[in-house]
Amino acid sequence: SWRTRAHDPQLRPVHLVRHPLPDADGAEVVTLVVIGVGNDHRRDDGVGPAVAAAVAARRPWLRVICCAAEPTAILDAWEGATRAVIVDAAAPGTDGVPGRVRRSTLGDLAETRAVSSHDLSLAQTYRLGRVLDRAPTEVVVITVDAADAGHGVGLSPAVAQAVPKATAMVLDELSRSRA
């Protein structure tokens, strides 16, 4: 199931999953989640799950989830977290360079116009989550420019070479939080 850590169905301690105990000084505990968005059967679209698996291997205690780029899956994935780091492939566009890794916040992302409820942008999904009280306080997005999102398994060489850098960027984001 997509709710388990990448390739590791081992149960996590409950205090790391839901409502962790507050710090001794009464400060709010930051609950983190890393979400790898994508489909590993669509070539470079699988970079989100690939980075999520790399993060889970280095931080086995961390809540790491892989899901499709579907609004309800993302809402479920980040529910209960105060901070989410999302990793996803980005269509290269006119200024795209396959394998380029970028950090953004939701405010930095271009707003796309949705055609239906099945096609919400990440920013629109976040706003929906805020209305439903199912969104983290902060979301950071790490994107990797894709070269090939066609059918097939395996990342293109440029995107595969970017996985370590994207993983390091996610780990850097996590180090900025009290975890």
Side-chain angles (χ1 to χ4, degrees):
S1 125
W2 64 268
R3 288 185 149 282
T4 60
R5 286 178 285 166
H7 311 295
D8 182 7
Q10 179 181 351
L11 297 175
R12 297 178 301 265
V14 173
H15 72 279
L16 294 177
V17 179
R18 298 288 292 171
H19 311 295
L21 300 172
D23 281 353
D25 63 2
E28 179 185 355
V29 173
V30 176
T31 359
L32 304 169
V33 64
V34 174
I35 305 169
V37 176
N39 179 345
D40 54 7
H41 295 284
R42 295 292 307 252
R43 304 273 302 152
D44 290 345
D45 192 45
V47 72
V51 172
V55 170
R58 295 190 56 192
R59 300 288 188 274
W61 52 265
L62 184 67
R63 184 173 157 205
V64 178
I65 297 171
C66 295
C67 69
E70 201 277 320
T72 58
I74 293 170
L75 288 173
D76 288 343
W78 68 27
E79 186 171 20
T82 53
R83 189 160 195 252
V85 179
I86 297 176
V87 185
D88 197 5
T94 57
D95 69 336
V97 177
R100 178 175 52 182
V101 182
R102 293 184 272 186
R103 177 199 185 276
S104 306
T105 63
L106 289 177
D108 299 330
L109 298 177
E111 187 67 41
T112 58
R113 184 179 171 114
V115 176
S116 73
S117 63
H118 300 284
D119 191 23
L120 294 179
S121 71
L122 190 54
Q124 291 167 325
T125 300
Y126 181 75
R127 285 198 302 276
L128 175 62
R130 297 294 289 178
V131 168
L132 298 173
D133 196 27
R134 293 181 62 196
T137 307
E138 182 183 2
V139 177
V140 173
V141 183
I142 306 295
T143 58
V144 179
D145 287 358
D148 178 7
H151 293 284
V153 178
L155 303 173
S156 67
V159 172
Q161 288 176 353
V163 169
K165 180 178 180 179
T167 301
M169 287 177 73
V170 171
L171 295 172
D172 183 55
E173 287 297 326
L174 298 175
S175 71
R176 296 178 193 196
S177 300
R178 295 180 315 143

